[in-house]
Amino acid sequence: MKEDVAVKSYVDDLFRYLDTYESSYAQFETEAFLQTYNGIYAVFQALLKQRDKAVALDEFFLDKIKLSPLTSSDLRQLTIQVLITFFESEADIDGLSNRAYSYCRGIRGVKQDVPFFEHHLAPLLFSDGSLNNNYRLNSFLLNEIARYLNKFGKSLTADLSPEQFAAMGDPLKFLELARRRQQLGADIIADRTSLEFHLQRVDTFTKLKQKSRLYEHYLKEWNYLREKSFWSRVKAVLGELGGKIKGVFFSWRYFRLVITQRNPAFLYYGLIILFFILLAVYVPMKWGDYSQGQFDQFEKRSHTVQGDAGR
């Protein structure tokens, strides 16, 4: 009885945190919320053998869920849909404790769990400004979704190809990476045969990080980025520019293509104009230096001749 009361107290606290998140985010306590979530989840396995308690908790969940629309906030929707789906999968063996799950499933646009997680919850998690940019919450829920898919979804494709990865939407890419870290190990990138190692080597992660601060956060947290020094980046940019300029002057077909493009044409003609301006300054300067040198030599010779004549 005491355990039953304790679990319901945790559920009460969970919904209180959700209300605080929606009404006064500055007062929201992230770590306390996560501990409460974990405290509720911890009893699910035990409820397999305590069916009366499972049914009672299911009813309690349902009453709490109905108090506010799941779409009241991203955190409410993500938390309830993930937690209640875990509850149904791990604690309901006879169909008697799935009313809360059935209610939540009924208001989904996609009824099946895996497609709903992949194509609705994952994009919600990675939408602009999701969870008030709370990276701790975001990371926790991403790992929960990945854990559910690894446990109850389709098997992970360990030999996923770079082409298959590239074809995924960005949220699914990060979900896939999170699943792989759970299944294959957090240090998977150290394996030179792994997808992660290849993606890092061809700068896929560097390109991904430029799309979003959230993407960058995950890639840095997972140590998937190869950080370059400032001068290395400058050298790379100049090298690329030099290669393009060299290509222009060593290939007539490429040259014709370049000068038909507006920006490259502006650059090309601008360089020509700059070259002739510099030439217009440089040639008179060098000619002046040459003339002065010739005059000095002439003057020196004249003095020499005059000296010889005086003798």
Side-chain angles (χ1 to χ4, degrees), residues 176-191:
E176 183 70 19
L177 292 172
R179 290 188 64 188
R180 291 173 63 86
R181 285 172 60 82
Q182 290 182 9
Q183 289 271 308
L184 306 176
D187 60 346
I188 181 65
I189 199 166
D191 181 355

Side-chain angles (χ1 to χ4, degrees), residues 46-61:
L47 294 177
L48 285 171
K49 298 179 180 180
Q50 303 174 36
R51 302 310 302 145
D52 291 343
K53 291 182 179 180
V55 172
L57 182 59
D58 179 52
E59 291 291 337
F60 193 69
F61 259 130

Side-chain angles (χ1 to χ4, degrees), residues 62 65-73 76-78 80-81 84 99-113 116 120-121:
L62 182 59
I65 291 170
K66 286 183 175 180
L67 291 176
S68 297
L70 290 189
T71 54
S72 297
S73 67
R76 185 179 295 270
Q77 184 171 182
L78 285 159
I80 300 306
Q81 289 285 9
I84 211 66
R99 291 189 63 204
Y101 167 77
S102 297
Y103 175 82
C104 293
R105 184 172 180 267
I107 59 180
R108 296 177 184 173
V110 178
K111 306 303 180 185
Q112 293 180 307
D113 296 332
F116 177 71
H120 181 76
L121 293 189

Side-chain angles (χ1 to χ4, degrees), residues 12 28 37 39 47 80-82 90 96 104 123-124 139 153 163-164 167 225 229 233 252-253 261 264 272 286 292:
D12 268 330
F28 179 75
Y37 177 103
L47 294 177
I80 300 306
Q81 289 285 9
V82 172
E90 297 196 353
L96 298 178
C104 293
L124 178 61
S139 179
E163 292 75 21
Q164 290 172 310
L225 293 176
S229 68
R233 292 195 294 269
W252 170 245
R253 294 180 63 185
Q261 308 298 314
I272 290 179
K286 294 303 291 183
Q292 184 64 42

